[in-house]
Amino acid sequence: MSEPLPIAAELARANEELREQLEEAQDLIHAIRTGAVDALAVQGAEGPRIFTLQGADQSYRTLIEQMSEGALLLAEDATVLYCNASLAELLHCPLAEVMGRNFDEFVPPGFGKTWAALMDRGWAGKSRGELPLQTQTGALLPFSVSMNVLEFNETPALAVIVTDLSAQREITAIRAQVAEQNALLDRKNEELKREEAARQAGERAAAEASRVLEGIPQIAWTATPQGINSYLNRRWFDYIGRENAVGSDQGWTAHLHPDDRPAARQQWVECLASGEPYEVEYRFRNRAGDYRWMLGRAQPSRNAQGAIMQWIGTCTDIHEQKLALQRIDQAQHQLRDNNAQLTRANVDLDNFIYTASHDLKAPISNIEGLLDALLLELPAATAQSAEISPLLDLMQDSVNRFKRTIEHLTEVSRLQKEHGSYVAPVDLAAVIHDVRLDLEPVIQGTGARLEVDVQATPVVLFSEKNLRSVVFNLLSNALKYRAPTRPPHVRLRTWAEAGHTVLEVRDNGLGLEAAYLDRLFGMFQRFHDHVEGSGIGLYMVKKMVENAGGRITVTSELGTGSVFFVYFVHQ
């Protein structure tokens, strides 16, 4: 009956110890709740365990609480065992509501797999990544998450550092904007440098241009791209009578002739708009009050980009040339008037020749008929007497010469009308052969020696009838005007020369003095009266050759002979 008493005493002591432990636990919990004691609650296999933070841990706790980044400890099921005030502020959630809450609730839908993968790598060792978290207000914010496993009294916990990326992204955007602004400023500075370099280069070029423009004899000037005068050299001020002046002259137009201002202004406006070179003729008043003609020219000066920097121009005195051109123009007008008068005169002459030849043919035919009738009426003895026969012969010769003169006048009129007439390819060698056959009796009668070398002659462009007349006149004259002391020796040959076929007719006849050669091709020119002729043959030869686009020349020596050169246009 005495044994139960010790048991009761032991139970009473045990109850007292438990009560004291409970009071201590309550005091600890109260201290933890009031912040008097720092502690960590870690969920273990046997339930949650409370660990107080003392000593050196307190300084780390203070450091964590003052961090701007969010810090928390997670249990294996992602329960928040601890978090600092910065995390609660980032999540816009009271600190008491974050503690003990499952952190998965702050992960927005659609990022669960990302969060799970980060957790798995974190529990395996270390993990780092980015994902948005949903705040208490429902907003999504970008965060960077770093994880690492820690041991507390042999109980593992996942330490997580959460960094807000919004500010970093704003900083990145600001940095990008600053970089863009800096790049823009750099470009502006480079542009300003280029503009300054271009300005300095322009000033140097302007100074050099001024130096050059002052050294030229013409009036020189420059103008802005808008056409405003910016410089005139000293020649201008000397011209208008303003001594020791240099630079621009906005009043230069006052010296321009009033009649020339509209055209010069219109041309200048068009060139400013198009960028084309400027060129105009106008008159400027000089210091004496006289207007002189000037040739104004200007070229645009461009930079490397093709933009017009300025206009550079000159005014060249062309007054004398202008007056000369006016005189030439007047002379040309006079020449055209004279040509018109000559044309009318030629027409009148042709009409006169036609009328004269027509009207004279009838009287000369009547005279010739009367002479024939007289011969029939005269007794034969009387007609053949020494007194009457020479008179009758003279009368007949006069009638024949008159008839030939009328024929020649008609032929001259025909040649005047043949200028530019139709020509055709003609074989010169064949024509020479035919003329030689026609003159064969004369050749035989004079004992002449004729040499012809025309085998390589090309075809010439000529009228066949006229070509035969040219060759006949030249060859017959070589035989007709032969020297009495030697047999005639005539050589004909041809060769090609600068688009022409040249026919050379060389004889050893009488020849002419050099003073007569200029008149040789004139009408009715005769230099050997002992030889019958009208003096019109060579004139007709020259006209026929020139009408076909060719020419004829002659060299001669008295007592030695003559050489004719005929230049035909060959095919």
Side-chain angles (χ1 to χ4, degrees), residues 254-267:
H255 300 272
L256 182 60
H257 196 287
D259 295 343
D260 300 335
R261 290 175 187 174
R265 177 62 183 171
Q266 180 63 28
Q267 181 71 14

PDB file of all heavy atoms in Angstrom, residues 254-267:
ATOM      1  N   ALA A 254      22.161  97.570-113.496  1.00  0.00           N
ATOM      2  CA  ALA A 254      21.894  98.923-113.978  1.00  0.00           C
ATOM      3  C   ALA A 254      22.735  99.259-115.206  1.00  0.00           C
ATOM      4  O   ALA A 254      22.378 100.161-115.981  1.00  0.00           O
ATOM      5  CB  ALA A 254      22.164  99.939-112.861  1.00  0.00           C
ATOM      6  N   HIS A 255      23.845  98.537-115.402  1.00  0.00           N
ATOM      7  CA  HIS A 255      24.722  98.778-116.555  1.00  0.00           C
ATOM      8  C   HIS A 255      24.322  97.927-117.765  1.00  0.00           C
ATOM      9  O   HIS A 255      24.905  98.084-118.833  1.00  0.00           O
ATOM     10  CB  HIS A 255      26.174  98.489-116.184  1.00  0.00           C
ATOM     11  CG  HIS A 255      26.682  99.332-115.052  1.00  0.00           C
ATOM     12  ND1 HIS A 255      27.246 100.568-115.233  1.00  0.00           N
ATOM     13  CD2 HIS A 255      26.685  99.107-113.708  1.00  0.00           C
ATOM     14  CE1 HIS A 255      27.592 101.084-114.057  1.00  0.00           C
ATOM     15  NE2 HIS A 255      27.261 100.219-113.110  1.00  0.00           N
ATOM     16  N   LEU A 256      23.359  97.032-117.589  1.00  0.00           N
ATOM     17  CA  LEU A 256      22.916  96.170-118.677  1.00  0.00           C
ATOM     18  C   LEU A 256      21.944  96.921-119.583  1.00  0.00           C
ATOM     19  O   LEU A 256      21.070  97.665-119.104  1.00  0.00           O
ATOM     20  CB  LEU A 256      22.237  94.922-118.097  1.00  0.00           C
ATOM     21  CG  LEU A 256      21.746  93.854-119.082  1.00  0.00           C
ATOM     22  CD1 LEU A 256      22.902  93.306-119.892  1.00  0.00           C
ATOM     23  CD2 LEU A 256      21.060  92.736-118.312  1.00  0.00           C
ATOM     24  N   HIS A 257      22.089  96.728-120.881  1.00  0.00           N
ATOM     25  CA  HIS A 257      21.220  97.416-121.839  1.00  0.00           C
ATOM     26  C   HIS A 257      19.767  97.020-121.587  1.00  0.00           C
ATOM     27  O   HIS A 257      19.458  95.835-121.420  1.00  0.00           O
ATOM     28  CB  HIS A 257      21.628  97.040-123.264  1.00  0.00           C
ATOM     29  CG  HIS A 257      21.067  97.970-124.307  1.00  0.00           C
ATOM     30  ND1 HIS A 257      19.742  97.971-124.658  1.00  0.00           N
ATOM     31  CD2 HIS A 257      21.662  98.944-125.056  1.00  0.00           C
ATOM     32  CE1 HIS A 257      19.535  98.880-125.594  1.00  0.00           C
ATOM     33  NE2 HIS A 257      20.688  99.489-125.849  1.00  0.00           N
ATOM     34  N   PRO A 258      18.845  97.979-121.548  1.00  0.00           N
ATOM     35  CA  PRO A 258      17.440  97.650-121.252  1.00  0.00           C
ATOM     36  C   PRO A 258      16.846  96.622-122.198  1.00  0.00           C
ATOM     37  O   PRO A 258      16.026  95.793-121.776  1.00  0.00           O
ATOM     38  CB  PRO A 258      16.735  99.012-121.376  1.00  0.00           C
ATOM     39  CG  PRO A 258      17.805 100.024-121.122  1.00  0.00           C
ATOM     40  CD  PRO A 258      19.067  99.425-121.675  1.00  0.00           C
ATOM     41  N   ASP A 259      17.245  96.659-123.466  1.00  0.00           N
ATOM     42  CA  ASP A 259      16.682  95.702-124.421  1.00  0.00           C
ATOM     43  C   ASP A 259      17.153  94.274-124.169  1.00  0.00           C
ATOM     44  O   ASP A 259      16.498  93.315-124.601  1.00  0.00           O
ATOM     45  CB  ASP A 259      17.053  96.111-125.851  1.00  0.00           C
ATOM     46  CG  ASP A 259      16.423  97.436-126.248  1.00  0.00           C
ATOM     47  OD1 ASP A 259      15.459  97.863-125.561  1.00  0.00           O
ATOM     48  OD2 ASP A 259      16.889  98.051-127.223  1.00  0.00           O
ATOM     49  N   ASP A 260      18.298  94.115-123.473  1.00  0.00           N
ATOM     50  CA  ASP A 260      18.856  92.786-123.257  1.00  0.00           C
ATOM     51  C   ASP A 260      18.463  92.187-121.908  1.00  0.00           C
ATOM     52  O   ASP A 260      18.733  91.016-121.652  1.00  0.00           O
ATOM     53  CB  ASP A 260      20.396  92.839-123.346  1.00  0.00           C
ATOM     54  CG  ASP A 260      20.866  93.336-124.704  1.00  0.00           C
ATOM     55  OD1 ASP A 260      20.105  93.172-125.668  1.00  0.00           O
ATOM     56  OD2 ASP A 260      21.979  93.881-124.790  1.00  0.00           O
ATOM     57  N   ARG A 261      17.845  92.980-121.027  1.00  0.00           N
ATOM     58  CA  ARG A 261      17.554  92.487-119.681  1.00  0.00           C
ATOM     59  C   ARG A 261      16.557  91.333-119.644  1.00  0.00           C
ATOM     60  O   ARG A 261      16.794  90.343-118.943  1.00  0.00           O
ATOM     61  CB  ARG A 261      17.048  93.649-118.813  1.00  0.00           C
ATOM     62  CG  ARG A 261      18.124  94.670-118.486  1.00  0.00           C
ATOM     63  CD  ARG A 261      17.552  95.855-117.733  1.00  0.00           C
ATOM     64  NE  ARG A 261      18.565  96.905-117.574  1.00  0.00           N
ATOM     65  CZ  ARG A 261      18.312  98.093-117.067  1.00  0.00           C
ATOM     66  NH1 ARG A 261      17.076  98.394-116.655  1.00  0.00           N
ATOM     67  NH2 ARG A 261      19.279  98.987-116.971  1.00  0.00           N
ATOM     68  N   PRO A 262      15.417  91.403-120.349  1.00  0.00           N
ATOM     69  CA  PRO A 262      14.446  90.288-120.245  1.00  0.00           C
ATOM     70  C   PRO A 262      15.018  88.947-120.670  1.00  0.00           C
ATOM     71  O   PRO A 262      14.855  87.945-119.974  1.00  0.00           O
ATOM     72  CB  PRO A 262      13.301  90.747-121.159  1.00  0.00           C
ATOM     73  CG  PRO A 262      13.431  92.235-121.233  1.00  0.00           C
ATOM     74  CD  PRO A 262      14.892  92.512-121.176  1.00  0.00           C
ATOM     75  N   ALA A 263      15.704  88.912-121.829  1.00  0.00           N
ATOM     76  CA  ALA A 263      16.248  87.638-122.323  1.00  0.00           C
ATOM     77  C   ALA A 263      17.340  87.108-121.399  1.00  0.00           C
ATOM     78  O   ALA A 263      17.389  85.907-121.110  1.00  0.00           O
ATOM     79  CB  ALA A 263      16.796  87.817-123.744  1.00  0.00           C
ATOM     80  N   ALA A 264      18.219  87.997-120.918  1.00  0.00           N
ATOM     81  CA  ALA A 264      19.302  87.562-120.024  1.00  0.00           C
ATOM     82  C   ALA A 264      18.730  87.041-118.714  1.00  0.00           C
ATOM     83  O   ALA A 264      19.192  86.017-118.184  1.00  0.00           O
ATOM     84  CB  ALA A 264      20.267  88.722-119.766  1.00  0.00           C
ATOM     85  N   ARG A 265      17.724  87.726-118.178  1.00  0.00           N
ATOM     86  CA  ARG A 265      17.110  87.300-116.920  1.00  0.00           C
ATOM     87  C   ARG A 265      16.405  85.952-117.085  1.00  0.00           C
ATOM     88  O   ARG A 265      16.536  85.060-116.230  1.00  0.00           O
ATOM     89  CB  ARG A 265      16.104  88.361-116.460  1.00  0.00           C
ATOM     90  CG  ARG A 265      15.336  87.994-115.191  1.00  0.00           C
ATOM     91  CD  ARG A 265      16.275  87.837-114.022  1.00  0.00           C
ATOM     92  NE  ARG A 265      15.565  87.428-112.819  1.00  0.00           N
ATOM     93  CZ  ARG A 265      16.167  87.057-111.702  1.00  0.00           C
ATOM     94  NH1 ARG A 265      17.482  87.061-111.616  1.00  0.00           N
ATOM     95  NH2 ARG A 265      15.465  86.699-110.651  1.00  0.00           N
ATOM     96  N   GLN A 266      15.658  85.773-118.170  1.00  0.00           N
ATOM     97  CA  GLN A 266      14.955  84.519-118.403  1.00  0.00           C
ATOM     98  C   GLN A 266      15.928  83.358-118.542  1.00  0.00           C
ATOM     99  O   GLN A 266      15.715  82.274-117.965  1.00  0.00           O
ATOM    100  CB  GLN A 266      14.099  84.637-119.676  1.00  0.00           C
ATOM    101  CG  GLN A 266      13.303  83.385-120.025  1.00  0.00           C
ATOM    102  CD  GLN A 266      12.279  83.032-118.974  1.00  0.00           C
ATOM    103  OE1 GLN A 266      11.787  83.911-118.265  1.00  0.00           O
ATOM    104  NE2 GLN A 266      11.966  81.744-118.850  1.00  0.00           N
ATOM    105  N   GLN A 267      17.017  83.565-119.272  1.00  0.00           N
ATOM    106  CA  GLN A 267      18.016  82.512-119.432  1.00  0.00           C
ATOM    107  C   GLN A 267      18.660  82.158-118.096  1.00  0.00           C
ATOM    108  O   GLN A 267      18.894  80.991-117.780  1.00  0.00           O
ATOM    109  CB  GLN A 267      19.088  82.973-120.432  1.00  0.00           C
ATOM    110  CG  GLN A 267      20.189  81.966-120.707  1.00  0.00           C
ATOM    111  CD  GLN A 267      19.695  80.791-121.510  1.00  0.00           C
ATOM    112  OE1 GLN A 267      18.609  80.831-122.089  1.00  0.00           O
ATOM    113  NE2 GLN A 267      20.458  79.723-121.551  1.00  0.00           N
TER     114      GLN A 267
END
